[in-house]
Coordinates of all heavy atoms in Angstrom, one line a residue:
M1 N -14.5 20.5 -18.4 CA -14.1 20.1 -17.0 C -12.6 19.8 -16.9 O -12.1 19.2 -17.8 CB -14.9 18.9 -16.6 CG -14.6 18.5 -15.1 SD -15.4 16.9 -14.6 CE -17.1 17.3 -14.6
K2 N -12.0 20.4 -15.9 CA -10.5 20.3 -15.8 C -10.2 18.9 -15.2 O -10.8 18.5 -14.2 CB -10.0 21.4 -14.8 CG -8.5 21.4 -14.7 CD -8.1 22.5 -13.8 CE -6.6 22.3 -13.5 NZ -6.2 22.7 -12.2
R3 N -9.2 18.2 -15.8 CA -8.8 16.9 -15.3 C -7.8 17.1 -14.2 O -6.9 17.9 -14.3 CB -8.2 16.0 -16.4 CG -9.2 15.5 -17.4 CD -8.4 14.6 -18.4 NE -8.0 13.3 -17.8 CZ -8.7 12.2 -18.0 NH1 -9.8 12.2 -18.7 NH2 -8.3 11.1 -17.4
L4 N -8.0 16.3 -13.1 CA -7.0 16.4 -12.0 C -5.9 15.4 -12.2 O -6.1 14.4 -12.8 CB -7.7 16.1 -10.7 CG -8.8 17.0 -10.2 CD1 -9.4 16.5 -8.9 CD2 -8.3 18.5 -10.0
S5 N -4.7 15.8 -11.8 CA -3.5 14.8 -11.9 C -3.7 13.7 -10.9 O -4.5 13.8 -9.9 CB -2.2 15.6 -11.6 OG -2.2 16.0 -10.2
T6 N -2.9 12.7 -11.0 CA -3.0 11.5 -10.0 C -2.7 12.0 -8.7 O -3.3 11.7 -7.7 CB -2.0 10.4 -10.4 OG1 -2.3 10.0 -11.8 CG2 -2.1 9.3 -9.5
E7 N -1.7 12.9 -8.5 CA -1.3 13.4 -7.2 C -2.5 14.2 -6.6 O -2.7 14.1 -5.4 CB -0.1 14.3 -7.3 CG 1.2 13.6 -7.6 CD 1.3 13.1 -9.1 OE1 0.6 13.6 -9.9 OE2 2.1 12.1 -9.3
Q8 N -3.1 15.0 -7.4 CA -4.3 15.8 -6.9 C -5.4 14.9 -6.5 O -6.1 15.1 -5.5 CB -4.8 16.8 -8.0 CG -3.8 17.9 -8.2 CD -4.2 18.8 -9.4 OE1 -4.6 18.3 -10.5 NE2 -4.1 20.1 -9.3
L9 N -5.7 13.8 -7.3 CA -6.7 12.9 -6.9 C -6.4 12.2 -5.6 O -7.3 12.0 -4.7 CB -6.9 11.9 -8.0 CG -7.6 12.4 -9.3 CD1 -7.5 11.4 -10.4 CD2 -9.0 12.8 -9.0
L10 N -5.1 11.8 -5.4 CA -4.7 11.1 -4.2 C -4.8 12.0 -3.0 O -5.1 11.6 -1.9 CB -3.3 10.5 -4.4 CG -3.2 9.4 -5.3 CD1 -1.7 9.0 -5.5 CD2 -4.0 8.2 -4.9
S11 N -4.6 13.3 -3.2 CA -4.6 14.2 -2.1 C -6.0 14.5 -1.5 O -6.1 15.0 -0.4 CB -4.0 15.6 -2.5 OG -4.9 16.3 -3.3
I12 N -7.0 14.0 -2.1 CA -8.4 14.2 -1.5 C -8.7 13.1 -0.5 O -9.7 13.1 0.1 CB -9.5 14.3 -2.6 CG1 -9.6 13.1 -3.4 CG2 -9.3 15.6 -3.4 CD1 -10.8 13.1 -4.4
N13 N -7.8 12.1 -0.4 CA -7.9 11.0 0.6 C -7.0 11.3 1.7 O -5.9 11.9 1.6 CB -7.6 9.7 0.0 CG -8.5 9.3 -1.2 OD1 -9.7 9.6 -1.1 ND2 -7.9 8.7 -2.2
K14 N -7.3 10.7 2.9 CA -6.3 10.6 3.9 C -6.5 9.2 4.5 O -7.5 8.5 4.2 CB -6.6 11.6 5.0 CG -7.9 11.5 5.7 CD -8.0 12.6 6.8 CE -9.4 12.5 7.5 NZ -9.5 13.5 8.5
F15 N -5.5 8.8 5.2 CA -5.4 7.4 5.7 C -5.2 7.4 7.2 O -4.2 8.0 7.7 CB -4.3 6.6 5.0 CG -4.4 5.1 5.2 CD1 -5.2 4.3 4.3 CD2 -3.8 4.5 6.3 CE1 -5.3 2.9 4.5 CE2 -3.9 3.2 6.5 CZ -4.6 2.4 5.6
S16 N -6.1 6.7 7.9 CA -5.9 6.6 9.3 C -5.2 5.2 9.6 O -5.8 4.2 9.3 CB -7.3 6.6 10.0 OG -7.1 6.4 11.4
V17 N -4.0 5.2 10.1 CA -3.2 4.0 10.3 C -3.6 3.3 11.6 O -3.7 4.0 12.7 CB -1.7 4.3 10.4 CG1 -0.9 3.1 10.7 CG2 -1.3 4.9 9.0
D18 N -3.9 2.0 11.6 CA -4.2 1.2 12.8 C -2.9 0.6 13.2 O -2.5 -0.4 12.6 CB -5.2 0.2 12.4 CG -5.7 -0.6 13.6 OD1 -5.1 -0.5 14.7 OD2 -6.6 -1.4 13.5
D19 N -2.2 1.1 14.2 CA -0.9 0.6 14.7 C -1.1 -0.7 15.3 O -0.1 -1.5 15.4 CB -0.2 1.6 15.6 CG 0.2 2.8 14.8 OD1 0.7 2.7 13.7 OD2 0.1 3.9 15.4
E20 N -2.2 -1.1 15.8 CA -2.4 -2.3 16.5 C -2.7 -3.5 15.6 O -2.5 -4.7 15.9 CB -3.5 -2.2 17.6 CG -3.2 -1.3 18.7 CD -4.3 -1.2 19.7 OE1 -5.2 -2.0 19.7 OE2 -4.2 -0.2 20.5
A21 N -3.2 -3.2 14.4 CA -3.6 -4.3 13.5 C -3.2 -3.8 12.0 O -4.1 -3.2 11.4 CB -5.0 -4.6 13.6
K22 N -2.0 -3.9 11.7 CA -1.6 -3.5 10.3 C -2.3 -4.2 9.2 O -2.5 -5.5 9.3 CB -0.1 -3.7 10.2 CG 0.7 -2.8 11.1 CD 2.2 -3.0 10.9 CE 3.0 -2.0 11.8 NZ 4.4 -2.3 11.8
H23 N -2.8 -3.5 8.2 CA -3.6 -4.2 7.2 C -2.7 -4.9 6.1 O -3.3 -5.7 5.4 CB -4.6 -3.2 6.6 CG -4.1 -2.3 5.6 ND1 -3.1 -1.3 5.9 CD2 -4.4 -2.1 4.3 CE1 -2.9 -0.6 4.8 NE2 -3.6 -1.1 3.9
I24 N -1.5 -4.5 6.1 CA -0.6 -5.2 5.1 C 0.7 -5.5 5.9 O 1.3 -4.6 6.5 CB -0.2 -4.3 3.9 CG1 -1.5 -4.1 3.1 CG2 0.9 -4.9 3.1 CD1 -1.3 -3.2 1.8
I25 N 1.1 -6.8 5.9 CA 2.3 -7.2 6.5 C 3.1 -8.0 5.5 O 2.6 -8.9 4.8 CB 2.0 -8.1 7.8 CG1 1.2 -7.3 8.8 CG2 3.3 -8.7 8.4 CD1 0.7 -8.2 9.9
L26 N 4.4 -7.7 5.4 CA 5.3 -8.3 4.4 C 6.2 -9.4 5.2 O 6.6 -9.1 6.3 CB 6.2 -7.3 3.7 CG 5.4 -6.2 3.0 CD1 6.5 -5.3 2.3 CD2 4.5 -6.8 1.9
D27 N 6.4 -10.5 4.5 CA 7.4 -11.4 5.0 C 8.7 -11.1 4.4 O 9.0 -11.3 3.2 CB 7.0 -12.9 4.6 CG 7.9 -13.9 5.1 OD1 9.1 -13.8 5.0 OD2 7.4 -14.9 5.7
R28 N 9.6 -10.5 5.2 CA 10.9 -10.0 4.7 C 11.7 -11.1 4.0 O 12.5 -10.8 3.1 CB 11.7 -9.4 5.8 CG 10.9 -8.3 6.5 CD 11.1 -6.9 5.9 NE 10.1 -6.0 6.4 CZ 9.7 -5.0 5.8 NH1 10.1 -4.7 4.6 NH2 8.7 -4.2 6.3
Q29 N 11.7 -12.3 4.5 CA 12.5 -13.4 4.0 C 12.0 -13.7 2.6 O 12.8 -13.8 1.6 CB 12.4 -14.6 4.8 CG 13.3 -14.4 6.1 CD 13.5 -15.8 6.8 OE1 12.7 -16.7 6.7 NE2 14.7 -15.9 7.5
I30 N 10.7 -13.8 2.4 CA 10.2 -14.1 1.0 C 10.5 -12.9 0.1 O 10.9 -13.1 -1.0 CB 8.7 -14.4 1.1 CG1 8.4 -15.7 2.0 CG2 8.1 -14.6 -0.3 CD1 7.0 -16.0 2.2
C31 N 10.2 -11.7 0.6 CA 10.5 -10.6 -0.3 C 11.9 -10.5 -0.7 O 12.3 -10.0 -1.8 CB 10.0 -9.3 0.4 SG 8.3 -9.1 0.6
G32 N 12.8 -10.9 0.2 CA 14.2 -10.9 -0.1 C 14.6 -11.8 -1.3 O 15.6 -11.6 -2.0
R33 N 13.8 -12.8 -1.5 CA 14.1 -13.7 -2.7 C 13.4 -13.3 -4.0 O 13.5 -13.9 -5.0 CB 13.6 -15.1 -2.3 CG 14.3 -15.7 -1.1 CD 14.1 -17.2 -1.0 NE 12.7 -17.6 -0.7 CZ 12.3 -17.7 0.6 NH1 13.1 -17.5 1.6 NH2 11.0 -18.0 0.8
C34 N 12.6 -12.2 -3.9 CA 11.9 -11.7 -5.0 C 12.8 -10.7 -5.8 O 13.1 -9.6 -5.3 CB 10.6 -11.0 -4.5 SG 9.6 -10.2 -5.8
E35 N 13.1 -11.0 -7.0 CA 14.1 -10.2 -7.7 C 13.4 -9.0 -8.3 O 14.0 -7.9 -8.3 CB 14.8 -11.0 -8.8 CG 15.7 -12.1 -8.2 CD 16.5 -12.7 -9.3 OE1 16.5 -12.3 -10.4 OE2 17.2 -13.7 -8.9
S36 N 12.3 -9.1 -9.0 CA 11.7 -8.0 -9.7 C 10.9 -7.0 -8.9 O 10.7 -5.9 -9.2 CB 10.8 -8.5 -10.9 OG 9.8 -9.3 -10.4
K37 N 10.4 -7.5 -7.7 CA 9.6 -6.7 -6.8 C 8.6 -5.8 -7.5 O 8.6 -4.6 -7.5 CB 10.6 -5.8 -6.0 CG 11.5 -6.6 -5.0 CD 12.3 -5.8 -4.2 CE 13.1 -6.6 -3.2 NZ 13.7 -7.9 -3.5
P38 N 7.6 -6.4 -8.2 CA 6.7 -5.7 -9.0 C 5.8 -4.8 -8.2 O 5.2 -3.8 -8.7 CB 5.9 -6.8 -9.7 CG 6.0 -8.0 -8.9 CD 7.4 -7.9 -8.3
C39 N 5.6 -5.0 -6.9 CA 4.8 -4.2 -6.1 C 5.3 -2.7 -6.1 O 4.5 -1.8 -6.0 CB 4.8 -4.7 -4.6 SG 6.4 -4.9 -3.9
R40 N 6.6 -2.5 -6.3 CA 7.1 -1.2 -6.4 C 6.5 -0.4 -7.6 O 6.4 0.8 -7.5 CB 8.6 -1.2 -6.6 CG 9.4 -1.6 -5.4 CD 10.9 -1.5 -5.7 NE 11.3 -2.4 -6.8 CZ 12.3 -2.2 -7.5 NH1 13.1 -1.2 -7.3 NH2 12.6 -3.1 -8.5
F41 N 6.2 -1.1 -8.6 CA 5.8 -0.4 -9.8 C 4.2 -0.4 -10.0 O 3.6 0.4 -10.7 CB 6.4 -1.0 -11.1 CG 7.9 -1.2 -10.9 CD1 8.4 -2.4 -10.7 CD2 8.7 -0.1 -10.9 CE1 9.8 -2.6 -10.6 CE2 10.1 -0.2 -10.8 CZ 10.6 -1.5 -10.6
A42 N 3.6 -1.4 -9.3 CA 2.2 -1.5 -9.5 C 1.3 -0.7 -8.5 O 0.2 -0.4 -8.9 CB 1.8 -3.0 -9.4
C43 N 1.8 -0.4 -7.4 CA 1.0 0.3 -6.4 C 0.7 1.7 -6.9 O 1.6 2.5 -7.1 CB 1.8 0.4 -5.0 SG 0.9 1.4 -3.8
P44 N -0.6 2.0 -7.1 CA -0.9 3.3 -7.6 C -0.5 4.5 -6.7 O -0.4 5.6 -7.2 CB -2.4 3.3 -7.9 CG -2.9 2.2 -6.9 CD -1.8 1.2 -6.8
A45 N -0.4 4.2 -5.4 CA 0.0 5.3 -4.5 C 1.5 5.3 -4.2 O 2.0 6.1 -3.5 CB -0.7 5.0 -3.2
G46 N 2.3 4.4 -4.9 CA 3.7 4.4 -4.7 C 4.2 4.2 -3.3 O 5.1 4.8 -2.8
L47 N 3.6 3.2 -2.6 CA 3.9 3.0 -1.2 C 5.0 2.0 -1.0 O 5.4 1.8 0.2 CB 2.6 2.6 -0.5 CG 1.5 3.6 -0.6 CD1 0.3 3.1 0.2 CD2 1.9 4.9 0.0
Y48 N 5.4 1.3 -2.0 CA 6.5 0.3 -1.9 C 7.8 0.9 -2.4 O 7.8 1.5 -3.5 CB 6.2 -1.0 -2.7 CG 5.1 -1.8 -2.0 CD1 3.8 -1.6 -2.3 CD2 5.4 -2.9 -1.2 CE1 2.8 -2.4 -1.8 CE2 4.5 -3.7 -0.6 CZ 3.1 -3.4 -0.9 OH 2.2 -4.2 -0.3
S49 N 8.9 0.7 -1.7 CA 10.2 1.3 -2.1 C 11.3 0.4 -1.6 O 11.0 -0.5 -0.8 CB 10.3 2.7 -1.6 OG 10.3 2.7 -0.2
I50 N 12.5 0.6 -2.0 CA 13.6 -0.1 -1.5 C 14.3 0.8 -0.5 O 14.7 2.0 -0.8 CB 14.6 -0.5 -2.6 CG1 13.9 -1.4 -3.6 CG2 15.8 -1.2 -2.0 CD1 13.5 -2.7 -3.1
K51 N 14.5 0.3 0.7 CA 15.3 1.0 1.8 C 16.3 0.1 2.3 O 16.0 -1.0 2.8 CB 14.4 1.6 2.9 CG 13.5 2.7 2.4 CD 12.9 3.5 3.5 CE 12.1 4.7 3.0 NZ 10.8 4.8 3.5
D52 N 17.6 0.5 2.3 CA 18.7 -0.3 2.8 C 18.7 -1.7 2.2 O 18.9 -2.7 2.9 CB 18.6 -0.4 4.4 CG 18.7 0.9 5.1 OD1 19.4 1.8 4.5 OD2 18.0 1.1 6.1
G53 N 18.4 -1.7 0.9 CA 18.4 -3.0 0.2 C 17.2 -3.9 0.4 O 17.2 -5.0 -0.2
E54 N 16.2 -3.4 1.2 CA 15.1 -4.3 1.4 C 13.8 -3.6 1.0 O 13.7 -2.3 1.0 CB 14.9 -4.6 2.9 CG 16.0 -5.6 3.4 CD 15.6 -6.1 4.9 OE1 14.7 -5.5 5.5 OE2 16.2 -7.0 5.3
I55 N 12.8 -4.4 0.7 CA 11.5 -3.8 0.4 C 10.9 -3.1 1.6 O 11.0 -3.6 2.7 CB 10.5 -4.8 -0.2 CG1 9.3 -4.2 -0.9 CG2 10.1 -5.8 0.9 CD1 9.6 -3.6 -2.2
S56 N 10.3 -1.9 1.4 CA 9.7 -1.2 2.5 C 8.3 -0.8 2.1 O 8.1 -0.5 0.9 CB 10.6 0.1 2.7 OG 10.0 0.9 3.6
F57 N 7.4 -0.8 3.0 CA 6.0 -0.4 2.7 C 5.6 0.6 3.7 O 5.8 0.5 4.9 CB 5.1 -1.7 2.9 CG 3.7 -1.3 2.8 CD1 3.1 -0.9 1.7 CD2 2.9 -1.5 4.0 CE1 1.7 -0.5 1.6 CE2 1.5 -1.1 4.0 CZ 1.0 -0.7 2.8
D58 N 4.9 1.7 3.2 CA 4.4 2.8 4.0 C 2.9 2.7 3.9 O 2.3 3.0 2.8 CB 4.9 4.1 3.5 CG 4.4 5.3 4.3 OD1 3.6 5.0 5.2 OD2 4.7 6.4 3.9
P59 N 2.2 2.4 5.0 CA 0.7 2.3 4.9 C 0.0 3.6 4.6 O -1.2 3.6 4.2 CB 0.3 1.7 6.2 CG 1.4 2.1 7.2 CD 2.6 2.2 6.3
V60 N 0.6 4.7 4.9 CA -0.1 6.0 4.8 C -0.3 6.3 3.3 O 0.6 6.5 2.6 CB 0.7 7.1 5.5 CG1 0.0 8.5 5.3 CG2 1.0 6.8 6.9
G61 N -1.6 6.4 3.0 CA -1.9 6.6 1.6 C -2.5 5.4 0.8 O -2.8 5.5 -0.3
C62 N -2.5 4.3 1.5 CA -3.0 3.1 0.9 C -4.5 3.3 0.4 O -5.3 3.7 1.2 CB -2.9 1.9 1.8 SG -3.5 0.3 1.1
L63 N -4.8 2.9 -0.8 CA -6.1 3.0 -1.3 C -7.0 1.7 -1.1 O -8.1 1.7 -1.6 CB -6.0 3.3 -2.8 CG -5.2 4.6 -3.2 CD1 -4.9 4.7 -4.7 CD2 -6.0 5.8 -2.7
E64 N -6.3 0.7 -0.5 CA -7.0 -0.6 -0.3 C -7.5 -1.2 -1.6 O -8.6 -1.8 -1.6 CB -8.2 -0.4 0.7 CG -7.7 0.2 2.0 CD -8.9 0.6 2.9 OE1 -10.0 0.1 2.7 OE2 -8.6 1.5 3.8
C65 N -6.7 -1.0 -2.7 CA -7.1 -1.5 -4.0 C -6.8 -3.0 -4.2 O -7.4 -3.7 -5.0 CB -6.5 -0.7 -5.1 SG -4.7 -0.8 -5.2
G66 N -5.8 -3.5 -3.4 CA -5.4 -4.9 -3.6 C -4.5 -5.2 -4.7 O -4.1 -6.4 -4.9
T67 N -4.0 -4.2 -5.4 CA -3.1 -4.5 -6.6 C -1.8 -5.1 -6.2 O -1.4 -6.1 -6.8 CB -2.8 -3.1 -7.3 OG1 -4.0 -2.5 -7.7 CG2 -1.9 -3.4 -8.5
C68 N -1.3 -4.7 -5.0 CA 0.0 -5.3 -4.6 C -0.2 -6.8 -4.4 O 0.7 -7.6 -4.7 CB 0.5 -4.6 -3.4 SG -0.7 -4.5 -2.0
R69 N -1.3 -7.2 -3.8 CA -1.6 -8.6 -3.6 C -1.7 -9.4 -4.9 O -1.3 -10.5 -5.0 CB -2.8 -8.8 -2.7 CG -3.1 -10.2 -2.3 CD -4.3 -10.2 -1.3 NE -5.5 -9.6 -1.9 CZ -6.7 -9.7 -1.3 NH1 -6.8 -10.4 -0.2 NH2 -7.7 -9.1 -1.8
V70 N -2.3 -8.7 -5.9 CA -2.5 -9.4 -7.2 C -1.2 -9.6 -7.9 O -1.0 -10.7 -8.5 CB -3.6 -8.6 -8.0 CG1 -3.6 -9.2 -9.4 CG2 -4.9 -8.6 -7.3
V71 N -0.4 -8.6 -7.9 CA 0.9 -8.7 -8.7 C 1.9 -9.5 -8.0 O 2.9 -9.9 -8.7 CB 1.4 -7.3 -9.1 CG1 0.4 -6.5 -9.9 CG2 1.9 -6.5 -7.9
C72 N 1.8 -9.7 -6.8 CA 2.8 -10.5 -6.0 C 2.7 -12.0 -6.4 O 1.6 -12.6 -6.1 CB 2.7 -10.3 -4.5 SG 3.9 -11.2 -3.6
S73 N 3.7 -12.6 -6.9 CA 3.6 -14.0 -7.3 C 4.3 -14.9 -6.3 O 4.5 -16.1 -6.6 CB 4.3 -14.2 -8.7 OG 5.7 -13.8 -8.6
H74 N 4.6 -14.4 -5.1 CA 5.3 -15.2 -4.1 C 4.3 -15.5 -3.0 O 4.0 -14.6 -2.1 CB 6.5 -14.5 -3.5 CG 7.6 -14.4 -4.5 ND1 7.6 -13.6 -5.6 CD2 8.8 -15.0 -4.5 CE1 8.7 -13.7 -6.2 NE2 9.5 -14.6 -5.6
P75 N 3.7 -16.7 -2.9 CA 2.7 -17.0 -1.9 C 3.3 -16.8 -0.5 O 4.4 -17.1 -0.2 CB 2.5 -18.5 -2.1 CG 2.9 -18.8 -3.5 CD 4.0 -17.8 -3.8
G76 N 2.5 -16.1 0.3 CA 2.8 -15.9 1.7 C 3.6 -14.6 1.9 O 3.9 -14.2 3.1
A77 N 4.0 -13.9 0.8 CA 4.8 -12.7 1.0 C 4.0 -11.6 1.6 O 4.5 -10.8 2.4 CB 5.4 -12.3 -0.3
I78 N 2.7 -11.5 1.2 CA 1.9 -10.4 1.7 C 0.7 -11.0 2.5 O 0.0 -11.8 1.9 CB 1.3 -9.5 0.5 CG1 2.4 -8.9 -0.3 CG2 0.3 -8.5 1.1 CD1 1.9 -8.0 -1.4
T79 N 0.5 -10.5 3.7 CA -0.7 -10.8 4.4 C -1.5 -9.5 4.3 O -1.1 -8.4 4.8 CB -0.4 -11.1 5.9 OG1 0.5 -12.3 5.9 CG2 -1.6 -11.4 6.7
W80 N -2.7 -9.6 3.7 CA -3.4 -8.4 3.4 C -4.8 -8.6 3.9 O -5.5 -9.6 3.7 CB -3.5 -8.4 1.9 CG -3.9 -7.1 1.2 CD1 -3.1 -6.2 0.5 CD2 -5.2 -6.5 1.1 NE1 -3.8 -5.1 0.1 CE2 -5.1 -5.2 0.4 CE3 -6.4 -6.8 1.6 CZ2 -6.2 -4.4 0.2 CZ3 -7.5 -6.0 1.4 CH2 -7.4 -4.8 0.7
Q81 N -5.3 -7.5 4.6 CA -6.7 -7.5 5.0 C -7.2 -6.1 5.0 O -6.4 -5.1 5.2 CB -6.8 -8.1 6.4 CG -6.0 -7.4 7.5 CD -6.1 -8.0 8.8 OE1 -6.9 -9.0 9.1 NE2 -5.3 -7.6 9.8
Y82 N -8.5 -5.9 4.9 CA -9.0 -4.5 5.0 C -8.8 -4.0 6.5 O -8.9 -4.8 7.4 CB -10.5 -4.5 4.7 CG -10.8 -4.6 3.2 CD1 -11.3 -5.7 2.6 CD2 -10.5 -3.5 2.4 CE1 -11.6 -5.8 1.3 CE2 -10.7 -3.6 1.0 CZ -11.2 -4.7 0.5 OH -11.5 -4.8 -0.9
P83 N -8.5 -2.7 6.6 CA -8.4 -2.2 7.9 C -9.7 -2.3 8.8 O -10.8 -2.4 8.2 CB -8.1 -0.7 7.7 CG -7.6 -0.6 6.3 CD -8.3 -1.7 5.6
R84 N -9.5 -2.3 10.1 CA -10.7 -2.4 10.9 C -11.6 -1.1 10.8 O -11.1 -0.1 10.3 CB -10.3 -2.5 12.4 CG -9.5 -3.7 12.7 CD -9.3 -3.9 14.2 NE -8.4 -2.8 14.7 CZ -8.2 -2.6 16.0 NH1 -8.8 -3.3 16.9 NH2 -7.4 -1.6 16.4
G85 N -12.8 -1.2 11.2 CA -13.7 -0.1 11.1 C -13.1 1.2 11.8 O -12.5 1.0 12.9
G86 N -13.2 2.3 11.1 CA -12.7 3.5 11.7 C -11.3 3.8 11.2 O -10.7 4.9 11.5
F87 N -10.6 2.8 10.6 CA -9.3 3.0 10.0 C -9.3 2.9 8.5 O -10.2 2.4 7.9 CB -8.3 2.0 10.7 CG -8.2 2.2 12.2 CD1 -8.9 1.4 13.0 CD2 -7.3 3.1 12.7 CE1 -8.8 1.5 14.4 CE2 -7.1 3.2 14.1 CZ -7.9 2.5 14.9
G88 N -8.2 3.2 7.9 CA -8.0 3.1 6.5 C -8.2 4.3 5.7 O -8.2 5.5 6.3
V89 N -8.5 4.2 4.4 CA -8.7 5.3 3.6 C -10.0 6.0 3.8 O -11.0 5.4 4.0 CB -8.5 4.9 2.1 CG1 -9.6 4.0 1.6 CG2 -8.3 6.1 1.2
I90 N -9.9 7.4 3.9 CA -11.1 8.2 4.2 C -11.1 9.4 3.2 O -10.0 10.0 2.9 CB -11.0 8.7 5.6 CG1 -10.9 7.6 6.6 CG2 -12.2 9.6 6.0 CD1 -10.5 8.0 8.0
Y91 N -12.3 9.7 2.7 CA -12.4 10.9 1.9 C -12.2 12.1 2.8 O -12.9 12.3 3.8 CB -13.8 11.0 1.3 CG -14.0 12.2 0.4 CD1 -13.1 12.5 -0.7 CD2 -15.1 13.0 0.6 CE1 -13.4 13.6 -1.5 CE2 -15.4 14.1 -0.2 CZ -14.5 14.4 -1.2 OH -14.7 15.5 -2.0
R92 N -11.2 12.9 2.4 CA -10.7 14.1 3.3 C -11.9 15.1 3.5 O -11.9 15.7 4.6 CB -9.5 14.8 2.6 CG -8.8 15.8 3.5 CD -7.7 16.3 2.7 NE -6.6 15.4 2.5 CZ -5.6 15.1 3.4 NH1 -5.7 15.7 4.6 NH2 -4.7 14.2 3.2
Y93 N -12.7 15.2 2.6 CA -13.8 16.3 2.8 C -15.2 15.8 3.1 O -16.1 16.5 2.9 CB -13.8 17.2 1.5 CG -12.4 17.7 1.1 CD1 -11.7 17.2 0.0 CD2 -11.8 18.7 1.9 CE1 -10.5 17.7 -0.3 CE2 -10.6 19.1 1.6 CZ -9.9 18.7 0.5 OH -8.6 19.1 0.2
G94 N -15.2 14.5 3.5 CA -16.5 13.9 3.7 C -17.1 14.2 5.1 O -16.4 14.8 5.9
Ligands
LIG1 S1 5.5 -8.1 -1.7 FE1 5.6 -9.7 -3.3 S2 6.2 -8.5 -5.2 FE2 6.7 -7.2 -3.4 S3 8.8 -7.6 -3.0 FE3 7.6 -9.0 -1.7 S4 7.4 -10.9 -2.8 FE4 8.1 -9.3 -4.3
LIG2 S1 -3.6 -2.0 -1.6 FE1 -3.2 -0.8 -3.5 S2 -2.7 1.3 -2.7 FE2 -2.5 -0.2 -1.0 S3 -0.4 -0.8 -1.0 FE3 -1.5 -2.3 -2.2 S4 -1.3 -1.6 -4.3 FE4 -0.8 0.1 -2.9

């Protein structure tokens, strides 16, 4: 059986963004005091990055795994909840 790459595995999902109720909200002030920003390296979908010197999060592609919440050691930096019904990660071919 042929093994798929991480990129190929991620491509079989799609994510429906709920613009009215974001499932991950960052506190920019707290994140600004975080030096190592481990969320950038821990998110399996690579959704955290640095833009204009600040942490940036792109919800498209989120796997709802919760890893970013676990690795973040700054209380209150991440407000995390599962997306509402009908939103979030969906199997593309389901
Ligand atoms: S979400 Fe947590 S780990 Fe990521 S930059 Fe903010 S404080 Fe740091
Ligand atoms: S829940 Fe998982 S996939 Fe989504 S942003 Fe956090 S670490 Fe990345």
Side-chain angles (χ1 to χ4, degrees):
M1 181 186 293
K2 186 181 172 212
R3 285 184 75 102
L4 298 177
S5 68
T6 301
E7 289 75 20
Q8 288 172 317
L9 289 168
L10 291 174
S11 72
I12 63 177
N13 298 321
K14 63 179 180 180
F15 192 91
S16 177
V17 176
D18 184 353
D19 290 324
E20 292 181 16
K22 293 182 178 171
H23 77 298
I24 293 178
I25 299 171
L26 303 181
D27 185 310
R28 306 270 164 206
Q29 286 197 329
I30 298 176
C31 290
R33 296 195 293 270
C34 174
E35 291 189 7
S36 57
K37 296 182 173 39
C39 53
R40 286 184 301 156
F41 311 107
C43 173
L47 302 179
Y48 288 85
S49 60
I50 300 291
K51 286 199 178 126
D52 299 325
E54 286 191 351
I55 195 74
S56 173
F57 170 69
D58 178 2
V60 179
C62 179
L63 302 168
E64 301 169 24
C65 66
T67 303
C68 53
R69 185 172 55 169
V70 172
V71 300
C72 178
S73 60
H74 290 69
I78 298 181
T79 301
W80 197 108
Q81 61 184 350
Y82 282 109
R84 294 188 294 170
F87 295 96
V89 67
I90 301 164
Y91 180 54
R92 190 178 291 276
Y93 305 109

